Amino acid sequence: MIIIIAGASHTGKTLLSQKLLEKYRFPYLSVDHLKMGLIRSGNTLLTPEDDDKLTDYLFPIVREIIKTAIENSQNLIVEGCYIPFDWRRQFDETYLPSIRFICLAMTDRYIEGHIGDIKRYESSIEHRVECGDETVEKFKEDNRKNIEGFTAAGEKVVLIDSDYEKTLNDLIGRMGI
């Protein structure tokens, strides 16, 4: 089983991955770690700010990691921002039955009412270097982009609108792995 967890920054992809690891013992791959390894090693001239270009660069690598895990009957959680909206089109029908997809997104209302919590818990799993451009409007824009893009591609989006913990716990409970 492969679980892909997508969504904007700060939506809890890494937290959900950690909870799934603890519950199901599936290892997870952070696409951010892959990104930084390739950038720091000099294998790309892209920078962490090159979001769209990074998706085009990273997802072919991630796609082949996913295929290999499926072919080897391994479980894996892949989480990150660099999942293209049309990710399904990059897999043929032999792989898709082994993949579950989750997109986490926060509503405008949730962001407006919980911006303090979002920033306070940003390092609950990994220590983040604080970025200066993280405004309420930027969070809303990034989440809207994911909601619109994945919905247009036919994907279901898990909307975080009120109780964050309950939303994640309900999602984990419904997975039935």
Side-chain angles (χ1 to χ4, degrees):
M1 171 68 55
I2 305 299
I3 302 170
I4 299 174
I5 304 173
S9 181
H10 290 77
T11 54
K13 298 176 301 296
T14 306
L15 176 63
L16 178 58
S17 297
Q18 182 67 35
K19 286 180 178 240
L20 291 171
L21 176 144
E22 291 168 7
K23 181 168 183 170
Y24 296 109
R25 297 183 176 205
F26 289 10
Y28 69 87
L29 168 68
S30 167
V31 181
D32 277 345
H33 291 169
L34 178 61
K35 168 190 77 176
M36 292 311 297
L38 290 164
I39 289 171
R40 288 180 171 176
S41 67
N43 283 296
T44 181
L45 296 176
L46 296 173
T47 71
E49 288 77 37
D50 294 323
D51 283 341
D52 291 335
K53 291 177 184 174
L54 280 164
T55 298
D56 294 340
Y57 180 72
L58 292 169
F59 197 72
I61 299 166
V62 170
R63 178 191 64 225
E64 297 308 314
I65 291 170
I66 290 169
K67 286 180 179 180
T68 302
I70 292 170
E71 291 162 358
N72 292 336
S73 299
Q74 293 174 296
N75 298 314
L76 180 65
I77 300 163
V78 176
E79 63 92 6
C81 297
Y82 305 103
I83 309 297
F85 300 135
D86 67 345
W87 69 270
R88 281 185 194 274
R89 294 191 325 166
Q90 298 192 36
F91 293 93
D92 66 39
E93 292 304 316
T94 61
Y95 295 102
L96 288 172
S98 298
I99 302 172
R100 289 205 183 165
F101 177 79
I102 300 168
C103 177
L104 297 177
M106 296 174 177
T107 64
D108 285 357
R109 181 176 77 157
Y110 183 84
I111 294 167
E112 289 167 359
H114 296 88
I115 191 64
D117 292 334
I118 293 167
K119 289 186 175 190
R120 184 171 36 257
Y121 294 111
E122 70 184 357
S123 293
S124 61
I125 298 297
E126 59 186 350
H127 177 72
R128 290 176 175 255
V129 177
E130 198 172 311
C131 297
D133 67 344
E134 294 172 336
T135 65
V136 169
E137 288 309 312
K138 177 78 170 118
F139 284 131
K140 288 164 55 173
E141 177 187 330
D142 290 347
N143 278 272
R144 278 189 221 124
K145 179 181 173 186
N146 276 273
I147 293 166
E148 293 165 8
F150 282 115
T151 300
E155 301 294 346
K156 292 181 182 174
V157 176
V158 176
L159 291 177
I160 300 162
D161 189 49
S162 57
D163 187 329
Y164 182 87
E165 277 295 317
K166 182 176 181 338
T167 302
L168 285 193
N169 289 335
D170 288 350
L171 173 62
I172 293 167
R174 286 192 313 263
M175 291 194 69
I177 296 174

